[in-house]
Amino acid sequence: MDIGVLLGIFVGYPWLAIAPAALLVLAWFTHRHAIVIAAALAWLAYFPYELGMKLRLLCSGECNIRVDLLLVYPLLLFLTIAAVVAIVRRRPAPPRA
């Protein structure tokens, strides 16, 4: 499957961006790694941005050509992959007393 098609689902359904953000926040509570929370915050920031684009609040009316996604999608993909690697390589943080 083409990664562009997979990520393109967020254009039609921007609220789906909350799912990876929520999973990364949950992972951050157990691993406390900076890249995990950075990826979660990136997904949380992407949600209102994409919703604004879908509702045509952040574009001048011609929202069909999305050159911004050439930067946004690779950034989200890189942060998410880095967060998953950090989660897999690091043991969970000990619980706080």
Side-chain angles (χ1 to χ4, degrees):
M1 176 177 265
D2 184 20
I3 192 74
V5 172
L6 183 62
L7 289 173
I9 196 164
F10 295 110
V11 172
Y13 306 99
W15 54 86
L16 291 177
I18 296 172
L23 290 173
L24 288 165
V25 167
L26 289 173
W28 180 77
F29 278 116
T30 61
H31 288 79
R32 302 284 181 183
H33 201 287
I35 193 70
V36 177
I37 197 66
L41 291 175
W43 278 102
L44 285 174
Y46 173 70
F47 166 65
Y49 172 74
E50 192 58 54
L51 186 62
M53 293 299 270
K54 181 175 176 66
L55 298 175
R56 300 194 183 270
L57 299 173
L58 298 177
C59 62
S60 62
E62 184 55 47
C63 300
N64 295 333
I65 301 173
R66 298 287 307 277
V67 179
D68 59 318
L69 296 180
L70 293 173
L71 175 69
V72 173
Y73 280 172
L75 178 66
L76 287 172
L77 191 60
F78 171 76
L79 287 172
T80 304
I81 290 171
V84 169
V85 168
I87 291 165
V88 169
R89 294 181 76 193
R90 192 170 181 178
R91 293 187 200 139
R96 294 185 180 193

